[in-house]
Amino acid sequence: MDKVVLITGASKGIGKVTAQMLAKEGYKVIANYNKSKNEAEKLLKENNNIDIFKADVSKRDECRELIEYAIKKYGKIDVLINNAGISKWGLFTDLTDEEWEELMRTNLYSAYYMIQETLKYMIQNKSGCIINISSIWGMVGASCEVGYSVTKAGMDALTKSLAKEVGPSNIRINSIAPGTIETDMISDLSEEDRKEIEMQTPLRKIGKPEDIAKTIKWLIEDEFTIGQIISPNGGWII
Ligand code: NAP
């Protein structure tokens, strides 16, 4: 296998498990991290086929450095997974400009920068797969997570519109919009909140990072899916 995968935000949660799963399958993985250096170094030490690179993907220069590193090392990027993300919880009326800006930059601008900087190589190769990790909240909106929901809806719109533009170059772009997944991102949820989510989910459970990693792997290997928002969510949205 000589397929090269670049995944952002791979030091923890969904990104980390995806990097591990793909590396085991033989993909060459560049795992990006920003603040979690120790976790990233552990990932590097414990896995063949994984290389790590520090970059704050909310900044275009650092996205460019990350992509140039992958190109220098492997000469191409077959798969780009825009997974890095943050969430902020609170009333819309309390949201500050700084918080709004940080959400937009980290969740949405990062995808814009990463895709724009990678596309030139994919177009040259007439081949590529781009996966944006959005959220069910981009599809239906979340109370007290308005900024977050806006970033994820933006990602989905990017997926749909760009699919029409780059499909003819044999580049497939899709979104995966997870339901609630067991990672640090939901560590603030109370036991009561968790029970409530499970009760509202037809499969009566919170998902695991592996559930999303499996969907990512399927989408990489698929050859006819483009411009879609695929939502592994236990039935939360049907
Ligand atoms: P997580 O465990 O908190 O991991 C978030 C990852 O994003 C970390 O590896 C973090 O890296 C990285 N990251 C954050 N800001 C970054 C930046 N500026 N530059 C580079 N990396 C950055 O969260 P997760 O649940 O796995 O989330 C992964 C994606 O799934 C996110 O886009 C999230 O919105 C989405 N999602 C999650 C859920 C859920 O319920 N968990 C549901 C729907 C969608 P460092 O720690 O190294 O900075």
Side-chain angles (χ1 to χ4, degrees), residues 177-231:
T180 309
I181 306 297
E182 195 63 73
T183 70
D184 284 1
M185 193 169 269
I186 66 155
S187 58
D188 285 348
L189 286 181
S190 67
E191 212 33 57
E192 207 184 336
D193 292 337
R194 286 166 173 276
K195 287 266 164 318
E196 179 77 27
I197 291 167
E198 284 169 3
M199 281 316 293
Q200 285 178 23
T201 307
L203 283 179
R204 299 281 186 269
K205 60 180 180 183
I206 285 174
K208 298 192 295 293
E210 287 77 5
D211 295 317
I212 307 308
K214 283 181 203 163
T215 312
I216 291 173
K217 182 175 167 299
W218 163 72
L219 208 38
I220 292 173
E221 289 164 6
D222 180 85
E223 293 179 347
F224 202 50
T225 305
I226 180 166
Q228 302 302 308
I229 317 302
I230 295 152
S231 185

Side-chain angles (χ1 to χ4, degrees), residues 8-15 32-37 55-58 83-86 106-107 133-136 148 152 178-186:
T8 66
S11 49
K12 298 195 301 185
I14 293 169
N32 155 252
Y33 70 100
N34 186 30
K35 292 182 183 156
S36 303
K37 187 166 183 257
D56 176 349
V57 295
S58 68
N83 166 77
I86 53 168
T106 310
N107 295 3
I133 306 300
S134 57
S135 165
I136 47 167
Y148 179 79
K152 298 302 187 177
T180 309
I181 306 297
E182 195 63 73
T183 70
D184 284 1
M185 193 169 269
I186 66 155

Side-chain angles (χ1 to χ4, degrees), residues 97-113:
D97 288 353
E98 289 72 27
E99 288 171 328
W100 178 269
E101 172 108 18
E102 193 189 355
L103 275 168
M104 297 301 141
R105 291 208 146 275
T106 310
N107 295 3
L108 185 56
Y109 281 36
S110 60
Y112 160 60
Y113 296 146

Side-chain angles (χ1 to χ4, degrees), residues 50-206:
I50 293 188
D51 196 3
I52 57 171
F53 193 88
K54 181 187 177 327
D56 176 349
V57 295
S58 68
K59 298 177 177 150
R60 185 185 278 276
D61 286 358
E62 297 195 25
C63 288
R64 195 176 290 137
E65 284 167 19
L66 167 61
I67 288 154
E68 279 170 3
Y69 177 78
I71 294 292
K72 213 166 170 191
K73 175 144 188 167
Y74 293 115
K76 61 174 184 168
I77 297 165
D78 296 297
V79 181
L80 168 66
I81 307 168
N82 289 310
N83 166 77
I86 53 168
S87 63
K88 289 193 188 294
W89 197 90
L91 286 175
F92 180 66
T93 43
D94 291 340
L95 200 58
T96 65
D97 288 353
E98 289 72 27
E99 288 171 328
W100 178 269
E101 172 108 18
E102 193 189 355
L103 275 168
M104 297 301 141
R105 291 208 146 275
T106 310
N107 295 3
L108 185 56
Y109 281 36
S110 60
Y112 160 60
Y113 296 146
M114 289 298 296
I115 293 171
Q116 217 177 39
E117 297 288 338
T118 305
L119 263 183
K120 54 187 170 212
Y121 302 105
M122 289 185 169
I123 290 170
Q124 243 171 33
N125 279 352
K126 280 249 172 240
S127 169
C129 171
I130 300 169
I131 300 173
N132 289 328
I133 306 300
S134 57
S135 165
I136 47 167
W137 301 133
M139 299 165 82
V140 297
S143 166
C144 294
E145 285 194 278
V146 173
Y148 179 79
S149 302
V150 168
T151 64
K152 298 302 187 177
M155 269 186 137
D156 288 348
L158 176 59
T159 291
K160 287 190 245 181
S161 45
L162 192 59
K164 295 180 180 173
E165 205 171 303
V166 298
S169 299
N170 192 32
I171 295 161
R172 292 179 304 109
I173 175 167
N174 291 283
S175 284
I176 294 177
T180 309
I181 306 297
E182 195 63 73
T183 70
D184 284 1
M185 193 169 269
I186 66 155
S187 58
D188 285 348
L189 286 181
S190 67
E191 212 33 57
E192 207 184 336
D193 292 337
R194 286 166 173 276
K195 287 266 164 318
E196 179 77 27
I197 291 167
E198 284 169 3
M199 281 316 293
Q200 285 178 23
T201 307
L203 283 179
R204 299 281 186 269
K205 60 180 180 183
I206 285 174

